[in-house]
């Protein structure tokens, strides 16, 4: 028998001497291949002792104010025989009562990686601080970033139009979408039909900057990984034109100078130069208001957003204003000002009062001092980024590249690797003599007859047309091992848009211009415009063409320029398979630019094929065994390790260990 010691936030909990704690470990399960797993335990009980009651702040007594919050997990760790075993979190499920007195606390232990969802919660990408990359939305900036080097800039403009169809007609057509040039005929791509895009890595870095407890390793998330680092997200928040195209600017209020009062006591703080973070109990807030002071007579609008969602809007305000028609709920608050004119505010301030655990009223005031609002049209990335939860964005990247994650027990970093590289770094343990030979089973490994890999967003005009002609979704890959098998169909879907791009021709000759047409429907019409569309966020590779075929760019209805340097969108890392075969299709489709099928390093081929082909192999089995592993192996066993049993090597599909007895239920995949 082993001695189990459980600590919660550094405090040791008392345990029942005969209570078992069973930990289930799995990181990639053949039955659910697109999910990331970690350690978790079955619910177990600990005594409602004097010491435990103190740690859980007598949770059974609902009259206690500001007691233990069982809605969230708290940091914990397990030791076996005083040796470190697992770090993670404890969730209090409830209290067992006897004779109206507390008897037991029911708790569950979770490993570190599962806390990603707890940390990120329901927050959306627009709550991230991406302001360092904000740009002025005008013709000059759009032209500048259309020509910016995509390898050296975190923000670019790709040749993706939200409404206008592009083509080459020598300029003689007189249509705005004609990229050809004819003197006196103002044709081309208009600057306002284009939008900015931001590097995906910039978004990932903003997530870690906001959440200091999230520190990702550079095994995959690194600038040397071109397949990842070259990806950009198109900043397409609404279909059609960019919001505020009328020229009315919306800018967030930053530069808050400091605090008057006691911010710790009100459980609020300025998390950044412009985000007010509120963490207290909503019902304890007595005052929660925003005040603005200005002698200007210019009208303005005040918008308050919580976690990227507008909760208050006061329009056509002049002079001083007080905004307080919202509840102080937990979250991150940002103040936005809108106006077509410049306005100077002598002061903008948050006023907060809060009744603390001792029922004493505490107050905090956050002030900006003089704040100058400038009425340029700023392309605010946090407001223009697609509507998407942060956790869904990260899960999408993990699915895209078949990534797996775990917390390094020594550094505390979240190690992110491809599944293949994770398994290749494992070691092996011969556990033959610890296996219970009296009972085992060998089951079929594969519960599916087919696995589909695809994008959720494939309804733009050309992608839909491809589906109609080919009978399958654009870039979708299906795998069945080449056999007709029994079982269900499993779908791995990425929560992103996937465009089919078009390389343009001029008089039958290919140009260096390729573009994306982000519309849902298009029928020939004199304006050459389609129906604006929005669905999922678009990821792509911008590739800078230098010295390419000239395209006509419209700075205005009357000013036209020819550009030979511009960024084209691509699904492949490079335009030549001789440079790189990597791409973000699941299936090896004909490359839009080269018209070849040599871009063979698809998402499926590079990141999924080895694992999936092994799973579909007819000789693969799930072997279920019982083992009594010694503490030395339990302590150091990792999920990418191989177990050697009677000379055969197995991968761990899942392992369930009773920490008290050392008994482990093993689900193993024989290595092919």
């Amino acid at each position: 028998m082993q001695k189990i010691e459980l600590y919660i936030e550094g405090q040791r909990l008392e345990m029942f001497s005969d209570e078992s704690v069973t930990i289930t470990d799995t990181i990639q399960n053949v039955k659910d291949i697109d999910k990331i797993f970690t350690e978790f335990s079955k619910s177990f009980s600990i005594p409602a002792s004097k010491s435990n009651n103190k740690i859980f702040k007598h949770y059974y007594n609902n009259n206690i104010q500001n007691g233990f919050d069982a809605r969230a997990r708290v940091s914990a760790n397990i030791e076996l025989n005083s040796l470190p075993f697992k770090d993670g979190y404890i969730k209090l499920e409830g209290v067992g009562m006897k004779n109206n007195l507390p008897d037991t606390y029911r708790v569950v232990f979770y490993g570190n990686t599962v806390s990603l969802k707890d940390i990120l919660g329901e927050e959306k990408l627009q709550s991230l601080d991406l302001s360092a990359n904000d740009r002025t939305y005008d013709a000059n900036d759009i032209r500048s970033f259309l020509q910016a080097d995509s390898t050296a800039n975190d923000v670019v403009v790709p040749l993706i139009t939200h409404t206008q169809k592009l083509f080459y007609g020598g300029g003689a057509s007189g249509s705005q979408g004609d990229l050809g040039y004819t003197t006196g005929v103002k044709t081309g791509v208009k600057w306002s039909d284009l939008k900015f895009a931001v590097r995906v890595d910039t978004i990932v870095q903003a997530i870690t900057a906001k959440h200091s407890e999230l520190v990702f390793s550079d095994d995959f998330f690194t600038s040397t990984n071109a397949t990842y680092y070259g990806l950009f997200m198109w900043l397409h928040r609404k279909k059609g034109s960019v919001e505020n195209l009328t020229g009315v600017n919306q800018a967030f209020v930053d530069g808050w100078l400091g605090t008057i009062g006691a911010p710790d006591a009100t459980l609020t703080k300025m998390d950044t130069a412009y985000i007010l973070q509120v963490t207290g109990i909503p019902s304890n807030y007595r005052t929660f208001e925003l005040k603005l002071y200005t002698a200007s007579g210019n009208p303005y609008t005040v918008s308050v957003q919580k976690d990227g969602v507008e909760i208050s809007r006061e329009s056509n305000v002049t002079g001083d204003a007080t905004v307080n028609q919202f509840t102080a709920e937990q979250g991150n608050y940002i103040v936005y000002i809108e106006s077509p004119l410049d306005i100077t505010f002598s002061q903008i301030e948050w006023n907060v009062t809060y009744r603390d655990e001792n029922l004493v009223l505490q107050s905090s005031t956050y002030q900006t001092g003089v704040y100058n609002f400038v009425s340029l049209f700023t392309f605010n990335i946090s407001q223009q980024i697609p509507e998407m939860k942060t956790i869904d964005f990260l899960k999408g990247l993990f699915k895209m590249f078949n990534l797996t994650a775990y917390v390094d027990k020594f550094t505390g970093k979240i190690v992110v690797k491809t599944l293949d590289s994770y398994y290749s770094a494992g070691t092996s343990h011969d556990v033959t003599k610890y296996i219970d030979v009296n009972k085992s089973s060998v089951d079929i490994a594969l519960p599916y007859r087919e696995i589909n890999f695809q994008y959720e967003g494939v309804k733009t005009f050309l992608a839909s047309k491809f589906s109609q002609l080919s009978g399958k979704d654009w870039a979708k890959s299906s795998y069945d091992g080449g056999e007709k098998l029994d079982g269900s169909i499993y779908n791995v879907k990425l929560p992103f848009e996937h465009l089919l791009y078009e390389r343009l021709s001029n008089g039958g000759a290919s140009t260096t211009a390729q573009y994306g047409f982000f519309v849902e429907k298009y029928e020939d019409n004199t304006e050459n415009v389609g129906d604006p569309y929005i669905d999922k966020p678009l990821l792509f590779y911008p590739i800078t063409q230098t010295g390419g075929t000239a395209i006509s760019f419209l700075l205005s209805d009357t000013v036209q320029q020819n550009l030979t340097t511009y960024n084209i969108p691509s699904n492949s890392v490079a335009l030549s398979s001789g440079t790189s075969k990597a791409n973000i299709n699941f299936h090896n489709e004909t490359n839009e630019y080269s018209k070849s099928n040599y871009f063979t390093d698809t998402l499926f081929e590079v990141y999924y094929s080895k694992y999936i082909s092994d799973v579909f192999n007819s000789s693969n089995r799930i072997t279920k065994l019982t083992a009594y592993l010694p503490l030395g192996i339990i302590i150091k066993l990792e999920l990418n390790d191989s177990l050697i049993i009677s000379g055969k090597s197995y991968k761990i599909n899942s392992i369930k260990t009773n920490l008290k007895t050392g008994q482990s239920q093993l689900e193993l995949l024989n290595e092919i």
Side-chain angles (χ1 to χ4, degrees):
M1 292 291 179
Q2 287 156 171
K3 179 183 177 183
I4 304 171
E5 296 167 283
L6 177 62
Y7 294 83
I8 177 171
E9 295 184 327
Q11 303 175 86
R12 183 177 173 181
L13 292 166
E14 294 183 355
M15 307 282 289
F16 286 117
S17 60
D18 58 349
E19 182 74 23
S20 293
V21 178
T22 300
I23 297 287
T24 298
D25 269 336
T26 181
I27 201 156
Q28 184 98 358
N29 193 307
V30 68
K31 300 170 187 174
D32 228 344
I33 62 172
D34 73 335
K35 289 184 171 60
I36 302 159
F37 294 84
T38 188
E39 308 91 5
F40 64 93
S41 66
K42 287 184 177 179
S43 176
F44 60 95
S45 299
I46 58 176
S49 63
K50 182 178 180 180
S51 173
N52 289 347
N53 285 337
K54 183 178 180 181
I55 292 173
F56 287 114
K57 298 182 180 180
H58 301 272
Y59 184 77
Y60 54 89
N61 185 351
N62 58 17
N63 292 319
I64 296 176
Q65 296 294 314
N66 299 316
F68 188 86
D69 190 351
R71 297 173 300 175
R73 297 168 184 165
V74 293
S75 60
N77 61 285
I78 296 175
E79 293 184 359
L80 296 180
N81 293 351
S82 300
L83 295 174
F85 174 59
K86 296 285 185 186
D87 291 329
Y89 295 84
I90 280 289
K91 178 74 165 64
L92 175 61
E93 290 194 323
V95 185
M97 308 289 288
K98 282 187 178 180
N99 298 321
N100 215 25
L101 293 174
D103 180 61
T104 58
Y105 290 96
R106 298 188 310 279
V107 298
V108 178
F109 176 86
Y110 295 90
N112 268 330
T113 309
V114 79
S115 66
L116 278 173
K117 186 174 182 180
D118 294 330
I119 294 169
L120 299 173
E122 297 296 305
E123 78 169 39
K124 297 182 178 180
L125 293 180
Q126 56 260 43
S127 69
L128 301 174
D129 183 1
L130 296 163
S131 58
N133 293 292
D134 288 348
R135 297 291 180 262
T136 300
Y137 190 68
D138 61 19
N140 289 325
D141 255 23
I142 288 293
R143 178 190 58 190
S144 176
F145 286 91
L146 178 62
Q147 297 186 292
D149 182 357
S150 61
T151 64
N153 289 273
D154 292 335
V155 172
V156 298
V157 171
L159 204 60
I160 300 174
T161 60
H162 57 69
T163 305
Q164 185 69 55
K165 178 177 173 59
L166 300 183
F167 63 98
Y168 266 95
S173 70
S175 171
Q176 182 175 294
D178 187 352
L179 296 182
Y181 180 85
T182 297
T183 303
V185 182
K186 298 301 184 287
T187 65
V189 56
K190 191 173 182 179
W191 72 271
S192 56
D193 209 53
L194 303 175
K195 299 183 178 184
F196 292 101
V198 66
R199 193 182 298 278
V200 164
D201 184 66
T202 299
I203 302 173
V204 172
Q205 297 306 319
I207 294 171
T208 59
K210 181 178 180 180
H211 301 284
S212 58
E213 61 269 58
L214 295 183
V215 182
F216 294 119
S217 72
D218 59 3
D219 296 84
F220 187 85
F221 293 148
T222 174
S223 60
T224 59
N225 179 4
T227 309
Y228 158 73
Y229 195 71
L231 273 181
F232 279 65
M233 177 183 283
W234 195 41
L235 297 171
H236 183 61
R237 179 58 176 261
K238 65 177 286 290
K239 63 182 179 181
S241 301
V242 173
E243 291 252 283
N244 298 339
L245 197 57
T246 58
V248 177
N249 180 39
Q250 185 183 70
F252 59 78
V253 178
D254 61 358
W256 298 83
L257 298 175
T259 313
I260 300 171
D264 291 340
T266 61
L267 296 176
T268 60
K269 68 175 181 177
M270 293 309 301
D271 193 38
T272 69
Y274 67 95
I275 295 176
L276 175 68
Q277 186 180 82
V278 176
T279 59
I281 299 172
S283 60
N284 283 19
Y285 286 96
R286 294 296 180 265
T287 304
F288 190 66
E289 64 183 14
L290 175 72
K291 290 193 172 185
L292 304 97
Y293 302 93
T294 178
S296 170
N298 293 335
Y300 62 94
T301 294
V302 186
S303 171
V304 179
Q305 296 191 9
K306 183 179 78 72
D307 297 329
V309 178
E310 186 175 75
I311 60 171
S312 173
R313 187 176 186 83
E314 294 282 339
S315 301
N316 296 317
V317 180
T318 54
D320 299 344
T322 298
V323 183
N324 56 15
Q325 75 282 24
F326 46 82
T327 304
E329 296 179 339
Q330 295 178 354
N332 296 311
Y333 291 77
I334 303 175
V335 180
Y336 289 88
I337 305 294
E338 291 181 13
S339 179
L341 302 168
D342 294 353
I343 301 177
T344 296
F345 293 88
S346 59
Q347 185 88 281
I348 300 177
E349 62 185 33
W350 281 107
N351 291 318
V352 181
T353 60
Y354 183 79
R355 195 174 299 281
D356 65 18
E357 59 184 3
N358 297 315
L359 304 182
V360 176
L361 200 63
Q362 304 286 349
S363 65
S364 300
T365 300
Y366 302 88
Q367 299 177 329
T368 62
V370 176
Y371 173 77
N372 293 307
F373 172 84
V374 181
S375 59
L376 291 174
F377 182 13
T378 301
F379 190 94
N380 184 302
I381 292 180
S382 295
Q383 286 205 303
Q384 301 293 346
I385 201 165
E387 184 91 13
M388 189 178 210
K389 291 180 183 178
T390 304
I391 187 68
D392 291 341
F393 166 75
L394 286 176
K395 285 172 65 177
L397 287 182
F398 273 62
K399 285 184 182 183
M400 192 174 208
F401 299 107
N402 198 14
L403 303 177
T404 195
Y406 63 95
V407 176
D408 186 284
K409 65 179 68 175
F410 301 108
T411 67
K413 283 187 177 182
I414 299 176
V415 180
V416 179
K417 293 183 175 183
T418 65
L419 188 66
D420 289 345
S421 64
Y422 172 73
Y423 276 126
S424 67
T427 186
S428 61
H429 307 274
D430 193 325
V431 297
T432 305
K433 61 183 178 181
Y434 308 117
I435 299 298
D436 183 350
V437 297
N438 293 317
K439 185 178 180 181
S440 63
S441 66
V442 179
D443 298 339
I444 183 173
L446 184 70
Y448 315 112
R449 70 173 186 269
E450 180 180 307
I451 301 179
N452 294 323
F453 299 85
Q454 61 197 113
Y455 285 82
E456 289 186 26
V458 286
K459 295 180 181 178
T460 51
F461 173 65
L462 287 180
S464 294
K465 192 172 183 179
F466 174 90
S467 298
Q468 292 170 8
L469 295 174
S470 67
K472 78 175 190 69
D473 285 344
W474 165 242
K476 176 182 176 180
S477 180
S478 298
Y479 189 90
D480 59 9
E483 300 177 90
K484 293 187 180 297
L485 306 173
D486 289 330
S488 59
I489 296 177
Y490 191 95
N491 294 304
V492 177
K493 288 188 176 183
L494 302 189
F496 302 122
E497 198 72 35
H498 198 56
L499 258 64
L500 173 58
Y501 300 108
E502 180 182 2
R503 183 178 182 179
L504 299 176
S505 298
N506 184 9
S510 295
T511 71
T512 60
Q514 178 166 284
Y515 91 111
F517 194 25
F518 207 93
V519 300
E520 183 176 16
K521 297 177 181 178
Y522 172 76
E523 295 180 5
D524 289 335
N525 54 70
T526 56
E527 296 83 11
N528 288 303
V529 296
D531 293 339
Y533 180 65
I534 190 166
D535 190 11
K536 302 298 179 182
L538 172 66
L539 302 188
F540 69 100
Y541 295 108
I543 298 178
T544 308
Q545 297 282 53
T546 303
T549 309
I551 65 171
S552 180
F553 178 80
L554 292 173
L555 280 160
S556 68
D557 291 336
T558 59
V559 180
Q560 179 184 32
Q561 291 182 338
N562 269 0
L563 306 181
T564 57
T565 297
Y566 42 83
N567 284 302
I568 66 170
S570 172
N571 286 317
S572 55
V573 172
L575 299 179
S576 169
S577 59
T579 302
S580 172
K581 294 181 173 62
N583 62 89
I584 52 172
N585 297 325
F586 279 114
H587 186 262
N588 181 15
E589 304 287 3
T590 300
N591 183 267
E592 300 101 305
Y593 192 87
S594 71
K595 309 302 180 187
S596 76
N597 292 97
Y598 299 142
F599 291 81
T600 53
D601 290 346
T602 63
L603 293 176
F604 175 80
E605 188 61 35
V606 176
Y607 301 105
Y608 280 95
S609 62
K610 184 178 186 302
Y611 182 79
I612 296 300
S613 60
D614 282 355
V615 169
F616 270 79
N617 192 300
S618 61
S619 63
N620 208 344
R621 307 286 189 276
I622 284 185
T623 301
K624 297 180 180 180
L625 300 165
T626 300
Y628 290 87
L629 302 177
L631 185 58
I633 290 180
I634 291 175
I635 291 290
K636 62 184 180 181
L637 187 65
E638 301 289 348
L639 290 174
N640 58 343
D641 290 345
S642 297
L643 298 184
I644 308 299
I645 302 173
S646 301
K648 293 183 179 180
S649 182
Y650 298 85
K651 287 179 181 177
I652 300 171
N653 195 52
S654 71
I655 179 170
K656 185 184 297 183
T657 303
N658 185 313
L659 302 185
K660 176 70 68 174
T661 64
Q663 184 189 74
S664 295
Q665 303 297 327
L666 306 175
E667 270 197 9
L668 307 176
L669 285 167
N670 50 297
E671 297 205 58
I672 307 299

